[in-house]
Amino acid sequence: MITTNPFDDDKLREECGIFGVSRAETASAIVALGLHALQHRGQEAAGITSWDGHDFHTHRAMGHVAGNFDRDEVIRGLPGDTACGHVRYSTTGETSLRNVQPLYAELNSGGFAIAHNGNISNAMKLRRELIRRGSIFQSTSDTEVIIHLVATSSYRTLLDKFIDALKQVEGAYSLIVMTPEGMIACRDPLGIRPLVMGTLGETTIFASETVALDVVGADYVRTIDPGELVIVTNDGQIRSHRPFGDTHPRPCIFEHVYFSRPDSIIDNSSVYSVRKAIGAQLAIENPVEADYVIPVPDSGVPAAIGYAQQSSIPFELGIIRSHYIGRTFIQPGDKVRHLGVKLKHNANRALIKGKRIVLIDDSIVRGTTSLKIVQMMREAGAAEVHMRIASPPTKHSCFYGVDTPERTKLLAHKLDVGGMQDFIHADSLSFISIDGLYKALGEAKRADIRPQYCDACFTGDYPTTLTDQDDVVVTNQLELLAERVV
């Protein structure tokens, strides 16, 4: 039986990554390189669509970019000077090839390809309405709703049809769209999901993170503003549209904590430097006497460096991670499954035996990983095991493009900090405060009205309506009421 790695099922999934190139001689090859740099944002599937001036060409596959897009024959099958790509972890819709993006459709105006990072929180309601009006869906992805809204819009121009569609959707989206007229890149009015713009000579590039620009040798130009549409025509003209008027941005705070690569830049701030600042603030708020500060690799490393520097406790690698294990491996039984944990992480026994250690991790989701790590440290002879987390407790589900477990499966929803400490068998457990997290990001504190970030996974303060979730709640209540009546 092939099962998900037990360490991977206790992390918030990294949503998706998108990358687009306009006016490049080898557009699809550049997109493939960009997707390599964004692989951490989605590892289930990848796809690239290109435009050669006459026809659209698409190659989509399950699995990683490597192995699917590093063959010459694949790139040769994606000709043209314009292309966009997508790496996916499914947040809505089943895991199957029909949901792999970019999605493509032939509209009245011509071909339409779309790559989406985020989640449409009223997609189910819109889908039902569109089906009643005669739309036929080819996937279970929420992204396809946008295509049908564009196709059925009564507006005249393609741009107006697209804007009309966006004004009907709720939730989070960063989009790259390709049409015969050119490329469109846009973000939702709150800017929940990231999107940046760069240049490589005369080529314009859009990407989820700046690290993807670095990898292809492009220069970072700027962030696409929340609610902004940037259009690049086939002859290289660039226009900006802001159909949503004034916006009050609330970008995802977890990009700084975990999702983005540490070598990326978000809103002119180094992700690596921010994570070190989070670790330092964590040390100020939650000090402990210990011999070593040890990161849970790899996501806990920058915060652990910051904690160690602030606390003057030595930073050491007490857990060694193997980089040669994939996301899946064979686990024929519970005993082997338990032993399989050490294929990915193993204790540096000679270092930690008899020592008091502080483990630094980015978050606790279900708690199973933290439990196994603490147990590993104790089996290796640690005298004390203290856990410090570089984010507040994750108490709420995300509906904006992050695949979180049901709220009832979140450890922080079920238990207070003391209960969580007992569950993972640590000598102590502490989290950074929500105001401390904002302070590490350069804010005085979290604003009570219109907070500076989307932090709903910590606070439950969702910045948009959640139509589909509200419909589910109402339906469940009606079903319960009907059962009582019977």
Side-chain angles (χ1 to χ4, degrees), residues 288-314:
V288 64
E289 292 187 3
D291 299 302
Y292 298 131
V293 173
I294 294 175
V296 176
D298 287 327
S299 57
V301 172
I305 294 173
Y307 193 102
Q309 291 176 347
Q310 177 64 40
S311 64
S312 298
I313 300 173

Side-chain angles (χ1 to χ4, degrees), residues 209-266:
E209 294 183 37
T210 61
V211 65
L213 301 178
D214 297 337
V215 166
V216 302
D219 295 321
Y220 168 70
V221 175
R222 65 180 180 90
T223 296
I224 304 303
D225 290 334
E228 182 186 16
L229 282 73
V230 176
I231 301 169
V232 183
T233 62
N234 292 327
D235 61 0
Q237 296 182 51
I238 300 176
R239 303 193 307 270
S240 173
H241 292 260
R242 301 175 186 270
F244 298 97
D246 292 336
T247 61
H248 302 282
R250 287 187 63 179
C252 174
I253 201 167
F254 221 88
E255 291 284 349
H256 294 277
V257 175
Y258 172 66
F259 293 139
S260 294
R261 268 180 47 165
D263 46 344
S264 282
I265 305 293
I266 300 178

Side-chain angles (χ1 to χ4, degrees), residues 430-450:
S430 297
F431 297 77
I432 193 171
S433 67
I434 188 68
D435 282 341
L437 180 57
Y438 273 80
K439 187 173 182 180
L441 286 163
E443 306 288 346
K445 65 173 186 175
R446 181 184 190 270
D448 295 329
I449 300 175
R450 290 179 178 167

Side-chain angles (χ1 to χ4, degrees), residues 321-336:
R321 178 190 173 192
S322 170
H323 291 268
Y324 300 99
I325 178 173
R327 293 175 59 83
T328 60
F329 53 91
I330 297 173
Q331 302 168 348
D334 289 341
K335 183 176 181 180
V336 177

